[in-house]
Amino acid sequence: MRVWITLRYLIARMTFFALRIPLKRFEKEVSRLWADASMDRLCHIDECLAKIRPIGSDGEQVCSLVELEQQSPLTKKELRERKFESQSGFSRHTAGTSGEPTNISLSNEELARMLAVRSYCYQKHGLRLGQREARIWGRAENTLGSKVRDFLLNRKVFYPAEKDAEKVVESLIDWRPEYLYGYSSLILEAARIIVEKGLRPEGIKAVICTAESILPSQKEYIGSAFNAPVLEEYGSTEFDVIAFECKSGHLHLVNPWLWVETRKGEALISDVSRASQSLIRYRLGDSFVMSSSECRLLGSQWVISELHGRTINQFAYLSSTEKFHAVVFGRAVDAYMSLFGDCFRFMVRQTNYRSFDIYLSETPRQGSEHFEAWLGSELRAKLALDDDVELEFNIFTGDQLMKKGKHTYFLQEIIEVAHGY
Ligand SMILES: [Zn+2]
């Protein structure tokens, strides 16, 4: 078994080599760039821009950081309408959660840079790119092409949902992955089945959660089920990994070729090395707060201290003028799960002032009424609401009712607000 595992790792590494993806070179480069002091980083960004000369949204060449910061933000729509500056070898496509499809095309070097950043993050946690990966994703494509690709890249896709979820989780454990990578919600489902059936996975070095928001109590639950550290990744189709968790739990910026800014809380991202497409002050549609940490364990000292998710979904409204940040829901549910030793997925949808539809993946152990009452009093306390303010909750339970959110557990669907703010 051990020989086979090593052989599969070597095949995966040789696949990158055979595809002429200069992974090794960029792996060294990423480590070298992050080892430098921060002033050198600014010089490096300037040097890259002077060489690549990407086009800003105003149609002018951007040759320095000063010029970059004068550009207007680039929207997804503008990017879509642009012609590719060159046609490249690899393409990534996303349907987009906001109904905005994005097409990204990458050269071998650009793909190598993305993979090198991923590899750098993995190495800091004792993992290697090309190790046996269980990908907890949607249903696996049943084509020869995808089977060959998954074999070469040493990974297998598992979809622990719907009727055969238990069998899928058993086969996942039998497959003996070295690490797990995938959607937080599906990993949480797998963890629940492991706990319920008393299964004991062995040899898993890490569980990497991506694409969806996850609460500290949910991470703890997953960690104890898989007996492995749980690491959060924040990324996008356009840039792959943007931030990754260090051993102290910070979400560090990790791609040395990305210049990340926030404007009114909204993320603007520039890739200073991308020649096939100009991505300058690109509006990703996410919102977060960055802060500088003293931590040097991974990437930049700049970390994402609060990830708020999709920009339009940030606020809950009590009236047309009174609003509160939806993170209050996340904190309340997290506190509930810690307090009552429970674990479930949830989604809040607001369609009217002071009224919230709450979707739970299953009935809380103490019952839905208990949860509803507790949540009501917690929100009243946290928001310091007057006694005459009434909140209405409609609780729905059942996995099939849950919408798949990206980086968010809150959907704002009051029509007037959606157009008025
Ligand atoms: Zn750190």
Side-chain angles (χ1 to χ4, degrees):
M1 185 74 182
R2 187 160 293 165
V3 175
W4 178 236
I5 282 177
T6 310
L7 188 66
R8 288 289 303 271
Y9 168 72
L10 292 173
I11 291 172
R13 298 295 297 200
M14 274 158 56
T15 303
F16 296 130
F17 184 73
L19 290 172
R20 295 170 183 268
I21 297 170
L23 182 57
K24 197 104 204 140
R25 169 153 67 96
F26 285 112
E27 280 176 340
K28 283 187 192 148
E29 179 107 1
V30 176
S31 299
R32 184 183 66 76
L33 287 168
W34 284 129
D36 281 352
S38 60
M39 272 316 286
D40 292 341
R41 174 160 158 72
L42 297 183
C43 293
H44 171 247
I45 298 278
D46 265 336
E47 277 168 22
C48 287
L49 286 170
K51 192 169 139 206
I52 301 287
R53 297 174 175 263
I55 309 293
S57 69
D58 303 338
E60 289 161 14
Q61 284 192 347
V62 176
C63 306
S64 68
L65 208 44
V66 173
E67 288 177 17
L68 184 149
E69 286 176 354
Q70 289 162 356
Q71 292 297 309
S72 309
L74 174 71
T75 62
K76 292 195 176 189
K77 186 163 175 279
E78 285 168 335
L79 179 70
R80 247 195 334 271
E81 286 165 358
R82 275 189 186 178
K83 281 215 158 60
F84 285 102
E85 281 115 56
S86 69
Q87 275 300 335
S88 304
F90 297 91
S91 76
R92 290 161 69 93
H93 176 80
T94 169
T97 43
S98 49
E100 294 200 80
T102 315
N103 243 324
I104 294 294
S105 159
L106 299 167
S107 68
N108 293 32
E109 286 210 349
E110 288 162 351
L111 181 63
R113 279 199 188 89
M114 282 184 178
L115 290 169
V117 170
R118 181 171 290 284
S119 170
Y120 165 79
C121 299
Y122 285 14
Q123 274 179 32
K124 294 281 181 175
H125 292 281
L127 291 172
R128 288 190 179 278
L129 200 66
Q131 277 180 328
R132 200 169 174 84
E133 171 191 317
R135 186 159 280 222
I136 318 300
W137 219 243
R139 211 170 269 291
E141 287 173 60
N142 201 13
T143 61
L144 182 65
S146 68
K147 281 179 185 161
V148 170
R149 190 183 58 207
D150 286 345
F151 177 82
L152 290 174
L153 296 177
N154 200 9
R155 70 186 183 204
K156 192 166 176 179
V157 178
F158 295 90
Y159 179 55
E162 300 170 23
K163 285 195 297 290
D164 54 353
E166 285 187 12
K167 275 207 182 102
V168 171
V169 172
E170 280 167 8
S171 67
L172 158 72
I173 293 168
D174 286 347
W175 193 65
R176 292 186 157 257
E178 286 168 287
Y179 73 99
L180 270 71
Y181 177 89
Y183 289 123
S184 312
S185 57
L186 288 175
I187 291 176
L188 199 56
E189 273 319 292
R192 180 189 320 288
I193 291 167
I194 285 171
V195 171
E196 275 170 12
K197 300 206 78 182
L199 303 172
R200 297 200 169 274
E202 279 173 35
I204 296 172
K205 297 188 179 89
V207 180
I208 303 168
C209 293
T210 189
E212 297 164 315
S213 63
I214 184 163
L215 302 173
S217 55
Q218 293 172 327
K219 276 167 86 173
E220 210 171 293
Y221 185 87
I222 292 169
S224 80
F226 285 99
N227 192 22
V230 181
L231 309 170
E232 236 179 297
E233 171 193 289
Y234 169 67
S236 75
T237 307
E238 295 88 336
F239 303 105
D240 204 42
V241 189
I242 295 168
F244 203 88
E245 190 170 333
C246 76
K247 285 196 167 163
S248 297
H250 313 108
L251 201 52
H252 288 260
L253 298 182
V254 286
N255 185 327
W257 297 286
L258 294 185
W259 186 250
V260 181
E261 306 165 85
T262 53
R263 201 162 85 160
K264 292 180 187 157
E266 190 189 351
L268 300 180
I269 304 194
S270 305
D271 187 336
V272 301
S273 69
R274 191 91 57 103
S276 62
Q277 257 175 321
S278 292
L279 288 161
I280 294 296
R281 304 197 102 191
Y282 180 68
R283 290 175 68 177
L284 202 51
D286 277 344
S287 151
F288 50 70
V289 176
M290 288 196 292
S291 58
S292 180
S293 73
E294 295 294 306
C295 180
R296 298 302 310 261
L297 286 175
L298 182 68
S300 166
Q301 277 173 273
W302 284 90
V303 300
I304 295 178
S305 42
E306 282 178 56
L307 188 54
H308 293 155
R310 314 308 296 184
T311 319
I312 53 165
N313 291 326
Q314 283 186 71
F315 290 102
Y317 289 80
L318 295 169
S319 68
S320 62
T321 52
E322 295 163 285
K323 61 182 179 181
F324 64 91
H325 204 288
V327 74
V328 173
F329 282 105
R331 290 191 184 134
V333 177
D334 190 38
Y336 181 87
M337 294 196 289
S338 292
L339 206 56
F340 300 102
D342 210 340
C343 196
F344 46 80
R345 287 182 291 120
F346 76 101
M347 170 71 73
V348 181
R349 191 169 72 107
Q350 179 168 32
T351 50
N352 274 308
Y353 296 127
R354 292 196 288 274
S355 170
F356 304 94
D357 292 347
I358 299 186
Y359 297 86
L360 305 177
S361 58
E362 58 209 82
T363 310
R365 287 194 201 132
Q366 314 271 336
S368 294
E369 282 170 18
H370 173 268
F371 173 76
E372 183 177 343
W374 190 90
L375 183 67
S377 62
E378 175 75 2
L379 287 184
R380 300 195 79 84
K382 286 287 181 293
L383 300 169
L385 297 182
D386 291 335
D387 289 343
D388 59 338
V389 177
E390 284 192 23
L391 296 178
E392 188 193 10
F393 299 112
N394 303 301
I395 310 267
F396 301 92
T397 51
D399 203 31
Q400 67 282 7
L401 289 169
M402 297 205 42
K403 285 191 177 187
K404 199 159 74 183
K406 196 189 179 202
H407 308 310
T408 191
Y409 39 75
F410 184 76
L411 292 176
Q412 178 48 267
E413 294 182 358
I414 300 179
I415 302 303
E416 298 149 72
V417 171
H419 294 294
Y421 284 78

